[in-house]
Every structure is written in structure tokens, then in C-alpha cells.
């Protein structure tokens, strides 16, 4: 899924389209036959599982790795197992094709994509009463009127009116983006390679081994998470608070919490991301916060609570914001420049004479034949432009009426203005994603937040800005996802119409499943507590951004603005240095957005992710082929197992069933 997840997006590696392999002349099913009842059932089941996983990551650390490998393997496994079971019973079974596999993958990704772009860990959570109180009821600009608590009814309704617009906004440009511009869409290409490999004899054998590997580590992760629960019967109890580096560092959140999810993230994320997160933790919790704490009573009142934004907590929040904004602004400008440059280059190349098939050798001629067949199948089942335009206008009209009812401060003309500029932003983001695999969803959302919040002002600007952020994120995210899925469908000989239909179905599933799975967390756990496991860091950050847009920076703690400006500039410079230095040097330069995450949350998850990256590094050194084949499966198993345990854990919490043992670590009693 090519989306920027709250803070960092981890995507599949760039894979050349030439490695897809020669397309055999197999029969391609009609587009209606590519969408099956069994496929939709598997999509709903796995969509639910991955929504839970995304919520857990979003509400804890805000880093969402690519889950495409896990979704692809599990989708293939479930349908293949079902068809094999029915065949053994002597039933007639419809063959499982790569087109159906592609539809399932598209449906799953569309479903759990809304667990992120729906704002359950960011703008939507920023509106609730807990976040309002966490910032401080007496904090300037933080008004009680700007509160809207989560509710299943309005969340599902809001997602239904905004999530489909992005799908209709760029449909007429599918041929331009995929065939004319030949955009790479690295994650879409990687997914196509994965699916194509499943449906070959050697690929199916490897997929079977990967599924067994995934199942093994899923079982281990689930069992371990269950075992840990029995020892967590109190505050700071259990393996989640194991002071493996000593009690002094434990107080600064440097400890290993034995989380399979974070270790799995470390296995999937590139080494530089994991190292950047650890570096950010060392800079903030190892040096910066202890340094600022020395000036308590001078820079800020010493008697404030730990979560008061006028104290040390304010430095944590706003310095993290400055790093995120610096990184986002730089990458936005960079990708816009790349987009404009590539469009100009493409238009200048249109005058070049095409090379005829006669001038090509045998291998090149075969590749050209392959491409023509892909083009033919991709264009066969067209989606009329009038249908896309009518869908966009109709949905926009409904949402222009509906959204002001859900969020009164966001007036209808502001929603209309958002929809006028949204298709242009969706195109820029989709094009940039196709070139770089970096989708700036939250950056575009923050632009909408700042503009609308500042226009509305102090009287309702916070809620209006956050809601506008949601509108923009939904459109930009779904448009980029759709184009990426078109690329996957193009390379797997899937119909464009079946891709569009599966996106619609997956989005509809997500509009219901994502809020329901979030409600499980909201009901069972203390979401947003700075001292709990579900800190929901971006709820506070997004609300502070909205307040900043309406009130300015006059209420920041002493020297906070100067320090923030320093980190903002540093973020720009680091990104610039990464781009202008040779790759052999730039690969060791940290990523500012990844560094920002632990500034607010703590260092513990950085330790876990670094353990994952060390395991992967050692594995690659010992057997690179095995690491390439199975690291994704191991990581997916660890993440899925821990995610599955969330369901029984939430049920136990709802029924007030607490763990029986508190395993606590303290200083020695022997003097």
C-alpha cells in the first residue's frame, strides 16, 4: 500500500517491470468472473485482521510498515486451502486465478487502508475530549466547543461520504498514468510480481513454504503475547516493562518490551529507518529532554503535570511537529519538482518516432507482444469518463450537504473549495507515488488543516481544520491506491473494471470494518493516555497543529520556538544532504521523519525495531537468499500473531478481567 503512514511509510522494494516475466497466453477470465464470493469473504476476514493491526500500530507508535506480503500470502493460502479441501471432497471448484488473487489483494488493501486514512490515530482522535483535556482546559485556543467524541454512527457516515471521491477523481487518467507515462508504482509492481510468482509451479512451492513459515511465527507470536498478559496485572508490570538496560535507562524509556509487533516492523523496515528511529530516541530521551529538564522552574514552571503542554511535554510535542513538517515540506517540494520535470520530459519525447516490431530482435519482439497484450486487456473493459465524472459530482454534492451536519464549523463552501482543488492534489500525489513510491497523504492533509483552520479562525477553526484534513487525506489516499492497483492489475492481466469494482467493494468494507475495529480499541483500552501502551501520539500533535493555525505561537514554553525552528531547518538540511550526496554516503544519513517519532512516544519501541534490524542484518550476512525469501513472512507472522491477540485481550478488558500476576522490577532492597 503506497501511503505515507502517519509518520513513515515503508514500502516494497523497487522492482523492475522487466523482471515480471513473459506473459503466457493463458485464458483471461471475464471481469465479472475475477470477482468471486469466496474472494470477497476472504477479503473481509483478512481486511478485519489487518485493520486491527494498523489500528494497534497507529495508536502506539504511528509507524505502519507495508503489509502487502502478509496480505498476499494469507489471501493465497486461504483460497488455495479452500479449493483444495473442496476438490478432495469431489466438488467442482472454479480455478483460482491470479486475476482473482489480484482482486482479493486489492480489496484487502483498500479495506485496511481506511484504518489509516480514516484518521483514527490522527485527526479524528484529535477531536475527542481526552485529547482536549490532555492538552489542558486552560490552554489558549483549546476550547471545549471544539470537541467531538468518537461515535460509530458519524464515523461510518463520514467515511462513506468522503472515501469514494478519490476513486472517481482520477479514473479517466488510468491509461495516461499506467500506459502512456509508464509510471513504475514500485509497491504495485512488487505486488504483481508476488502474485504472478504464486501462480507458477516454482512460485507456488515457495509460497507454500512462506505460508508455513508465516504460520509458525504467527503461532509463536500469539502464544508469547498470551503468556505476557498473565504477568501484566498492574501499572509498569510485566515483560512490557523489562529494564534490560538497567533502571537508570529504564526511567528514560530505554528498555526492551519484548513486542513481536515492533520486532516484526524492524524486520520489514529498511535498516536506515530503524537506525533513524533509534538515533532520534538517543538524541531526545538521552540528551535533549534531560538537558531541558535542568531548566525546570526557569524555562517552564517546575510544578506542572507531566502531560501539560506548557512544560516539558510541550517541547516534546512541538519539536516532533517541527521535524515532521520540515520533512513533509521538503518531500512535497521535491516530488512536485520531479513530477513537473517528468511531465515536461514525457511531452518532449512524444515527438520521437516509435520503433517498429520489424526492427527488434526476437527477445524484444516477445516483450513488445507481451506489452501489447497487457495493453489490450487493460483497455478492454473501459470505465466511461462520464460515469467517473457523474460519480464524483454526485458524491461531492452529497458530502457538501452532509459534512457540515457532522462538523458544523466546516461550512459547505469550504467543503466545495476542497473538492475543487482535491483532484489536482490527488493527481500530484498519484504521480509522485508512481515515481518514488512515497505517498505524502498526511502532508496534503496538513495543508488542508492549516488553510481551513486559519480561515475559520478561533471560533470553530480547530474542528473545521481537522475535518478538512480528513477530507483531503481520504481523497488523496484512495486516488493513489487506485492507481497503484491499476498498475498491479495491468501486470497480472486483470481487468481495469474488476480493479475498480474491487476498490469500491474494499472501500465499502473499510468504511464499516475500520470504525468497528477502532471501537474495539476505544472501548477496551485507555486510548491517548501518556502513561499507557496506546499513547495515540498523533492525536495530540494534530490538535496542536490546528490550535497553532488559529492562535499562533505566543503560548509556547520559553525557547521552544527557537529550538523548533532549529530542528525544522535541520530537517530540511538533512533531507537536502541525503539527496545531493552519493548513494554510498546518503544510505547512512538518517531520515528526519523517522527520527521524530520517538521524540514524543519514547525510546522503548526503537530498541525493539533495532533488534529486528540486527536480526535481519545478521540473517542477510549468513544467507541472503533465505532472508529475501522468508524475512517478510517471519515479520508478517510476528505482527499478525500479536495483532490477533488484541481481540481476546480487548474482550478480557471489556469484561474487567485483569491479569493475575504483576511482575515488577525495582532497585535492590539490600543496602
Amino acid at each position: 500500500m503506497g501511503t505515507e503512514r502517519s509518520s513513515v511509510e515503508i514500502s516494497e522494494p523497487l522492482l523492475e517491470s522487466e523482471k515480471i516475466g513473459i506473459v503466457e497466453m493463458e485464458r483471461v477470465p471475464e471481469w465479472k468472473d475475477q470477482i468471486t464470493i469466496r474472494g470477497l469473504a476472504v477479503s473481509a476476514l483478512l481486511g478485519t485482521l489487518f485493520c486491527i493491526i494498523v489500528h494497534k500500530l497507529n495508536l502506539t507508535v504511528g509507524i505502519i510498515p507495508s503489509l502487502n506480503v502478509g496480505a498476499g500470502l494469507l489471501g493465497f493460502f486461504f483460497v488455495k486451502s479452500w479449493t483444495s479441501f473442496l476438490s478432495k471432497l469431489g466438488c467442482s471448484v472454479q480455478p483460482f486465478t491470479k486475476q482473482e488473487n489480484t482482486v482479493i489483494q486489492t480489496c484487502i488493501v483498500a479495506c485496511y487502508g481506511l484504518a489509516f486514512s480514516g484518521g483514527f490515530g490522527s485527526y479524528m482522535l484529535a477531536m475527542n475530549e481526552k485529547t482536549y483535556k490532555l492538552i489542558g482546559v486552560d490552554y489558549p485556543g483549546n476550547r471545549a466547543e471544539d470537541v467531538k467524541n468518537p461515535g460509530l454512527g458519524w464515523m461510518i457516515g463520514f467515511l462513506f461520504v468522503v472515501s469514494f471521491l478519490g476513486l472517481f477523481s482520477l479514473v479517466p487518467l488510468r491509461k495516461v498514468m499506467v500506459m502512456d507515462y509508464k509510471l513504475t508504482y514500485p509497491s504495485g509492481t512488487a505486488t504483481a510480481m508476488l502474485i504472478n510468482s504464486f501462480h507458477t509451479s516454482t512460485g507456488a512451492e515457495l509460497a507454500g513454504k512462506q505460508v508455513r513459515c508465516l504460520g509458525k511465527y504467527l503461532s509463536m507470536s500469539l502464544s508469547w503475547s498470551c503468556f505476557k498478559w498473565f504477568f501484566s496485572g498492574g501499572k509498569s508490570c510485566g515483560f512490557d516493562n523489562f529494564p534490560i538496560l538497567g533502571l537508570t535507562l529504564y526511567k528514560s524509556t530505554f528498555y526492551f518490551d519484548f513486542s513481536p509487533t515492533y520486532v516484526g516492523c524492524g524486520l520489514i523496515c529498511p535498516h536506515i529507518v530503524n537506525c533513524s528511529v533509534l538515533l532520534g530516541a538517543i538524541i531526545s530521551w538521552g540528551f535533549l529532554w534531560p538537558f531541558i529538564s535542568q531548566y525546570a522552574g526557569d524555562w517552564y514552571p517546575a510544578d506542572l503535570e507531566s502531560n501539560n503542554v506548557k512544560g516539558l511535554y510541550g517541547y516534546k510535542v512541538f519539536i516532533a511537529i517541527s521535524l515532521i513538517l520540515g520533512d513533509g515540506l521538503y518531500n512535497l517540494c521535491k516530488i512536485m519538482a520531479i513530477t513537473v520535470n517528468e511531465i515536461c520530459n514525457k511531452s518532449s519525447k512524444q515527438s520521437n518516432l516509435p520503433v517498429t516490431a520489424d526492427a527488434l530482435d526476437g527477445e524484444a519482439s516477445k516483450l513488445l507482444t507481451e506489452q501489447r497484450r497487457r495493453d489490450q486487456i487493460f483497455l478492454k473493459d473501459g470505465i466511461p469518463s462520464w460515469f467517473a465524472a457523474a460519480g464524483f459530482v454526485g458524491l461531492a454534492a452529497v458530502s457538501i450537504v452532509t459534512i457540515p451536519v457532522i462538523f458544523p464549523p466546516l461550512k459547505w463552501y469550504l467543503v466545495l473549495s476542497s473538492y475543487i482543488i482535491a483532484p489536482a492534489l490527488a493527481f500530484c500525489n498519484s504521480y509522485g507515488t508512481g515515481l518514488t513510491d512515497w505517498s505524502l497523504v498526511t502532508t496534503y492533509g496538513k495543508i488542508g488543516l492549516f488553510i481551513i483552520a486559519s480561515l475559520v479562525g478561533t471560533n470553530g477553526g480547530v474542528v473545521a481544520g481537522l475535518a478538512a484534513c480528513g477530507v483531503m487525506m481520504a481523497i488523496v489516499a484512495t486516488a493513489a491506491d487506485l492507481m497503484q492497483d491499476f498498475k498491479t492489475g495491468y501486470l497480472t492481466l486483470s481487468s481495469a473494471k474488476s480493479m475498480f469494482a474491487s476498490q469500491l467493494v474494499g472501500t465499502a468494507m473499510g468504511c464499516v470494518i475500520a470504525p468497528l475495529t477502532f471501537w474495539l480499541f476505544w472501548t477496551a483500552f485507555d486510548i491517548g493516555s501518556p502513561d499507557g501502551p496506546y499513547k495515540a501520539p498523533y492525536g495530540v500533535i494534530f490538535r496542536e497543529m490546528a490550535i497553532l493555525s488559529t492562535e499562533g505561537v505566543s503560548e509556547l514554553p520559553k525557547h521552544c520556538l527557537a529550538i523548533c525552528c532549529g530542528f525544522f531547518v535541520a530537517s530540511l538540511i538533512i533531507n537536502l544532504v541525503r539527496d545531493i550526496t552519493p548513494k554510498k554516503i546518503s544510505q547512512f544519513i538518517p531520515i528526519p521523519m523517522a527520527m521524530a517519532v520517538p521524540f514524543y512516544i519514547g525510546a522503548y519501541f526503537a530498541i525493539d525495531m533495532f533488534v529486528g534490524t540486527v536480526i535481519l542484518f545478521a540473517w542477510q550476512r549468513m544467507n541472503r537468499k533465505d532472508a529475501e525469501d522468508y524475512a517478510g513472512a517471519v515479520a508478517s507472522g510476528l505482527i499478525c500473531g500479536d495483532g490477533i491477540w488484541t481481540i481476546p485481550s480487548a474482550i478480557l478488558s471489556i469484561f474487567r478481567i485483569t491479569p493475575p500476576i504483576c511482575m515488577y522490577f525495582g532497585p535492590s532492597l539490600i543496602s
Side-chain angles (χ1 to χ4, degrees):
M1 182 170 55
T3 54
E4 178 199 342
R5 307 295 189 223
S6 284
S7 60
V8 181
E9 154 71 349
I10 313 304
S11 59
E12 301 292 340
L14 178 63
L15 296 168
E16 298 174 5
S17 58
E18 286 80 7
K19 295 180 181 178
I20 294 294
I22 303 300
V23 176
E24 299 173 1
M25 291 297 179
E26 78 270 23
R27 176 186 171 275
V28 176
E30 292 296 319
W31 75 270
K32 291 181 181 179
D33 296 329
Q34 297 173 20
I35 304 172
T36 62
I37 298 297
R38 69 188 181 193
L40 297 180
V42 168
S43 299
L45 176 65
L46 293 180
T48 302
L49 171 61
F50 284 102
C51 274
I52 291 172
I53 292 169
V54 170
H55 284 317
K56 181 171 183 179
L57 290 168
N58 228 352
L59 296 173
T60 50
V61 298
I63 292 180
I64 315 294
S66 174
L67 301 172
N68 285 6
V69 172
L73 282 172
L74 288 173
F76 176 80
F77 168 71
F78 276 114
V79 178
K80 202 70 175 175
S81 300
W82 176 248
T83 54
S84 298
F85 175 72
L86 290 181
S87 296
K88 289 178 181 178
L89 293 178
C91 301
S92 176
V93 180
Q94 179 181 339
F96 181 40
T97 63
K98 62 185 178 184
Q99 288 79 20
E100 183 183 357
N101 202 340
T102 305
V103 165
I104 293 171
Q105 177 86 5
T106 299
C107 229
I108 296 170
V109 173
C111 180
Y112 78 72
L114 283 178
F116 163 70
S117 62
F120 299 100
S122 54
Y123 68 85
M124 204 176 280
L125 203 60
M127 301 178 191
N128 86 91
E129 188 175 1
K130 288 182 182 179
T131 307
Y132 158 72
K133 290 181 177 178
L134 192 61
I135 290 176
V137 295
D138 59 341
Y139 188 76
N142 189 35
R143 307 185 316 146
E145 293 84 355
D146 293 324
V147 169
K148 190 171 185 65
N149 286 315
L152 278 178
W154 75 259
M155 289 191 301
I156 292 174
F158 177 68
L159 288 181
F160 266 109
V161 298
V162 301
S163 298
F164 292 92
L165 278 150
L167 302 180
F168 287 92
S169 61
L170 295 185
V171 167
L173 298 179
R174 66 191 181 282
K175 177 179 177 294
V176 174
M177 306 283 266
V178 175
M179 291 173 53
D180 296 344
Y181 286 164
K182 292 180 170 48
L183 296 177
T184 308
Y185 287 102
S187 285
T189 301
T191 303
M193 277 199 67
L194 186 72
I195 292 172
N196 281 336
S197 70
F198 287 165
H199 296 269
T200 62
S201 56
T202 54
E205 183 181 350
L206 176 61
K209 293 179 180 178
Q210 290 173 328
V211 167
R212 286 191 291 273
C213 178
L214 188 152
K216 173 184 173 183
Y217 283 92
L218 186 151
S219 302
M220 291 170 57
S221 175
L222 178 59
S223 301
W224 172 247
S225 298
C226 178
F227 175 76
K228 283 201 306 177
W229 178 84
F230 285 94
F231 298 90
S232 59
K235 186 178 180 181
S236 301
C237 295
F239 288 94
D240 289 345
N241 296 276
F242 197 101
I244 198 168
L245 300 175
L247 291 172
T248 302
L249 287 175
Y250 172 79
K251 293 176 182 177
S252 296
T253 71
F254 284 94
Y255 56 89
F256 181 59
D257 72 348
F258 294 91
S259 168
T261 294
Y262 303 149
V263 174
C265 289
L267 283 166
I268 295 178
C269 297
H271 295 306
I272 187 60
V273 170
N274 298 316
C275 293
S276 298
V277 171
L278 182 62
L279 179 62
I282 293 171
I283 290 172
S284 55
W285 292 90
F287 296 100
L288 188 58
W289 305 152
F291 172 76
I292 294 175
S293 297
Q294 295 176 359
Y295 295 92
D298 179 14
W299 288 13
Y300 60 91
D303 57 348
L304 295 176
E305 295 181 6
S306 61
N307 59 358
N308 193 312
V309 292
K310 294 182 180 179
L312 181 61
Y313 188 71
Y315 292 94
K316 295 177 183 178
V317 172
F318 285 103
I319 292 174
I321 289 174
S322 65
L323 277 171
I324 292 168
L325 290 180
D327 191 286
L329 179 64
Y330 179 89
N331 281 290
L332 176 64
C333 295
K334 171 186 168 183
I335 289 180
M336 292 288 280
I338 292 173
T339 300
V340 172
N341 182 57
E342 285 296 314
I343 290 175
C344 292
N345 288 342
K346 294 289 184 184
S347 61
S348 65
K349 290 176 183 178
Q350 296 298 318
S351 58
N352 294 341
L353 291 174
V355 180
T356 62
D358 294 336
L360 300 171
D361 58 23
E363 181 65 23
S365 178
K366 193 180 293 184
L367 287 171
L368 183 61
T369 303
E370 169 193 342
Q371 180 181 323
R372 283 176 175 168
R373 186 161 189 243
R374 286 198 180 109
D375 293 349
Q376 180 185 10
I377 292 171
F378 189 68
L379 297 175
K380 177 185 174 185
D381 299 311
I383 303 166
S385 297
W386 65 264
F387 176 75
F392 185 86
V393 172
L395 289 169
V398 171
S399 58
I400 286 170
V401 174
T402 307
I403 290 176
V405 175
I406 302 173
F407 304 109
L410 188 60
K411 304 301 182 184
W412 67 268
Y413 49 85
L414 295 174
V415 180
L416 176 61
S417 302
S418 300
Y419 287 155
I420 291 173
I421 64 171
L425 297 180
F427 171 79
C428 293
N429 188 54
S430 297
Y431 197 100
T433 303
L435 292 172
T436 65
D437 210 30
W438 189 272
S439 177
L440 302 177
V441 172
T442 56
T443 302
Y444 287 106
K446 289 165 195 167
I447 292 172
L449 186 157
F450 283 124
I451 293 174
I452 299 299
S454 59
L455 287 175
V456 175
T458 56
N459 188 21
V462 171
V463 168
L466 292 170
C469 173
V471 170
M472 201 61 69
M473 280 179 64
I475 295 174
V476 171
T478 52
D481 285 349
L482 178 64
M483 280 301 156
Q484 190 143 251
D485 289 332
F486 277 144
K487 180 70 174 185
T488 303
Y490 174 76
L491 295 172
T492 58
L493 299 180
S494 302
S495 166
K497 191 173 287 187
S498 71
M499 289 290 92
F500 184 67
S502 61
Q503 264 281 353
L504 289 175
V505 174
T507 301
M509 287 180 180
C511 289
V512 177
I513 293 173
L516 286 175
T517 47
F518 169 76
W519 198 251
L520 179 72
F521 284 87
W522 182 257
T523 306
F525 306 113
D526 186 13
I527 304 298
S529 170
D531 301 320
Y534 295 97
K535 293 179 175 63
Y538 288 97
V540 172
I541 287 174
F542 271 67
R543 189 173 183 90
E544 285 286 8
M545 287 181 182
I547 294 172
L548 200 65
S549 302
T550 60
E551 291 290 325
V553 296
S554 59
E555 296 297 323
L556 295 181
K558 192 175 181 181
H559 302 304
C560 184
L561 180 60
I563 296 173
C564 287
C565 289
F567 275 92
F568 179 84
V569 173
S571 180
L572 297 175
I573 293 173
I574 291 170
N575 273 297
L576 180 62
V577 172
R578 278 178 57 84
D579 285 339
I580 63 176
T581 53
K583 186 177 180 181
K584 63 181 180 181
I585 298 174
S586 65
Q587 64 180 336
F588 298 109
I589 299 175
I591 301 171
M593 194 171 284
M595 292 173 62
V597 182
F599 271 67
Y600 175 78
I601 299 171
Y604 59 93
F605 80 96
I607 303 293
D608 293 7
M609 292 182 67
F610 188 71
V611 168
T613 210
V614 168
I615 292 171
L616 179 62
F617 181 79
W619 193 357
Q620 289 171 333
R621 287 291 178 136
M622 292 186 291
N623 192 329
R624 178 169 290 275
K625 180 67 168 62
D626 261 14
E628 290 175 354
D629 288 343
Y630 297 106
V634 171
S636 299
L638 292 174
I639 294 171
C640 291
D642 201 20
I644 291 172
W645 170 249
T646 302
I647 300 172
S649 174
I651 293 171
L652 291 169
S653 178
I654 290 170
F655 286 100
R656 301 293 184 263
I657 300 174
T658 57
I661 304 170
C662 173
M663 185 174 71
Y664 176 77
F665 299 91
S668 173
L669 299 177
I670 301 175
S671 59

